């Protein structure tokens, strides 16, 4: 299954909606299975460093084939 831009943007929309619920500002990156960036957004007032962190987490998730929240056990 290949990830489309429409689906990647839908993932970002969900992440930004959740961030708004939590009253936090984030950056969100979505990559394909090879770790190549498909979509990215940084919320207003999100720290500049979150742009790099979100992309790194997305690439790590693609590399390990699991959500970034589950990769900590492997560290």
């Amino acid at each position: 299954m290949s990830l489309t831009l429409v689906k990647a943007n839908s993932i970002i929309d969900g992440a930004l909606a959740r961030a708004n619920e939590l009253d936090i500002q984030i950056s969100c990156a979505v990559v394909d299975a090879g770790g190549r960036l498909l979509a990215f957004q940084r919320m207003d007032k999100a720290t500049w460093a979150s742009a790099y962190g979100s992309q790194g987490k997305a690439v790590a998730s693609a590399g390990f084939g699991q959500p970034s929240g589950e990769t900590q056990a492997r560290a």
Side-chain angles (χ1 to χ4, degrees):
M1 172 182 102
S2 73
L3 188 59
T4 66
L5 180 58
V6 170
K7 182 61 178 170
N9 283 326
S10 176
I11 292 166
I12 288 178
D13 290 343
L16 298 184
R18 181 67 175 142
N20 279 320
E21 290 173 8
L22 297 172
D23 196 27
I24 59 174
Q25 291 75 43
I26 65 166
S27 291
C28 184
V30 178
V31 299
D32 64 15
R36 294 170 292 270
L37 186 65
L38 286 176
F40 172 82
Q41 285 193 40
R42 189 181 114 196
M43 296 174 75
D44 293 339
K45 299 184 182 177
T47 180
W48 64 269
S50 68
Y52 300 103
S54 65
Q55 291 178 57
K57 286 181 71 169
V59 170
S61 292
F64 287 114
Q66 58 187 354
S68 61
E70 296 177 14
T71 59
Q72 184 176 2
R74 296 180 67 125

